Amino acid sequence: MVLQRERPLPIWGWADPGEEVTVKFGGTTVTGKADERGKWKVELPAMKADGKSDRMIVRGKNTIELEDILIGEVWVASGQSNMEKPLGPSAHQVPCQDWQEEVAAADYPQIRLLEMPPEEAAAPATDADCDWLPCSPETIMLQRGRGAGYSACAYFVARKLHRELKVPIGMIAASVGGTRCEPWTPGGDGRLYNGMIAPVTPLAIRGAIWYQGESNVGDGLGYANRMKALIEGWRKAWGYEFPFYFVQIAP
């Protein structure tokens, strides 16, 4: 996985109520205590990206060790089918141009890919069944969710950032084809936000990219207001301002 550089790093989890939990990472040790519901959260200090992987040890009544963690840039990539489109061919999408060559060249061990499963929820979820994977020709084409591989748009942005910034990149893909922007907005009808975005909102990120709009066609002025609500809602959920780049494709 990748953790966001130069920002305080929240680490959270679950334990027995009142259980003391210690987190050790990057030469720093912090301790917290689970609340009456068994939830705990600690904060590691901001760290620099040095390209070296490290191990995190979480210790309470039991011990969890997380291997191969990098410090770099973390981004969220969301939207509908334009963001969901993989590099290669799928049942509903044509492949990217020169996709065989692009797949063969997708060997970037310091780019880590996470794809959120396509889940809806009535209330904000706190967990998700998914894994961080180093970017390789094999992982970029793994069958995930409803698609046929990792988001091409998310991958190309991650590759550009990695090449230009020369730091590890963590890219979180959370997209579902054919969806309007309203279900991705916190509150109200935000069932996709609840299921796919809320679980990662405790994680420190650098920013977000968004590729959506066809399903809101015919309501251009209304879409502008809805996007404002989505962006402000995400920033409020994370608790700070961050860049939010998006493609305006609703006429």
Side-chain angles (χ1 to χ4, degrees):
M1 70 183 300
V2 178
L3 297 178
Q4 178 60 47
R5 63 173 173 169
E6 299 167 356
R7 285 202 67 91
L9 298 174
I11 307 296
W12 69 98
W14 301 266
D16 291 338
E19 182 178 346
E20 188 173 275
V21 178
T22 298
V23 177
K24 182 178 180 181
F25 178 74
T28 300
T29 300
V30 292
T31 300
K33 183 177 289 187
D35 63 18
E36 66 277 4
R37 297 172 295 173
K39 296 181 179 181
W40 60 267
K41 185 178 181 180
V42 298
E43 189 173 88
L44 293 165
M47 301 180 185
K48 299 286 188 181
D50 60 8
K52 299 177 182 178
S53 65
D54 203 349
R55 178 177 62 171
M56 180 181 294
I57 300 175
V58 182
R59 182 173 287 117
K61 292 180 181 178
N62 60 351
T63 300
I64 298 172
E65 295 188 11
L66 304 174
E67 303 283 351
D68 195 21
I69 299 174
L70 299 166
I71 301 294
E73 297 280 290
V74 182
W75 287 76
V76 175
S78 188
Q80 61 176 115
S81 57
N82 297 68
M83 185 63 80
E84 191 178 48
K85 176 183 172 67
L87 283 173
S90 68
H92 306 291
Q93 305 227 23
V94 297
C96 293
Q97 183 176 350
D98 301 324
W99 70 271
Q100 294 97 334
E101 290 85 355
E102 293 289 359
V103 169
D107 186 16
Y108 293 94
Q110 288 205 334
I111 295 178
R112 304 295 166 86
L113 309 175
L114 179 70
E115 182 159 8
M116 301 296 289
E119 299 285 351
E120 295 186 21
T126 57
D127 202 2
D129 183 13
C130 49
D131 297 302
W132 286 95
L133 297 173
C135 180
S136 71
E138 293 73 32
T139 59
I140 202 74
M141 290 295 287
L142 280 178
Q143 298 281 336
R144 299 181 179 90
R146 305 189 313 165
Y150 196 77
S151 160
C153 181
Y155 164 68
F156 286 129
V157 170
R159 186 180 71 179
K160 181 177 178 64
L161 290 171
H162 181 55
R163 287 176 172 177
E164 294 192 4
L165 299 176
K166 296 179 173 56
V167 299
I169 303 296
M171 187 63 78
I172 302 168
S175 53
V176 177
T179 55
R180 294 173 63 91
C181 68
E182 292 90 333
W184 295 100
T185 306
D189 298 325
R191 296 180 65 88
L192 288 171
Y193 168 84
N194 290 340
M196 300 177 69
I197 303 299
V200 297
T201 55
L203 187 70
I205 64 171
R206 176 65 73 197
I209 59 173
W210 174 264
Y211 203 165
Q212 186 272 341
E214 298 97 324
S215 294
N216 288 89
V217 163
D219 187 23
L221 293 177
Y223 186 74
N225 292 327
R226 290 182 175 89
M227 281 304 300
K228 181 179 180 182
L230 187 149
I231 295 167
E232 291 178 352
W234 283 29
R235 287 173 173 167
K236 182 178 180 181
W238 261 277
Y240 58 90
E241 295 282 316
F242 55 79
F244 193 109
Y245 296 102
F246 64 98
V247 182
Q248 180 86 25
I249 52 178

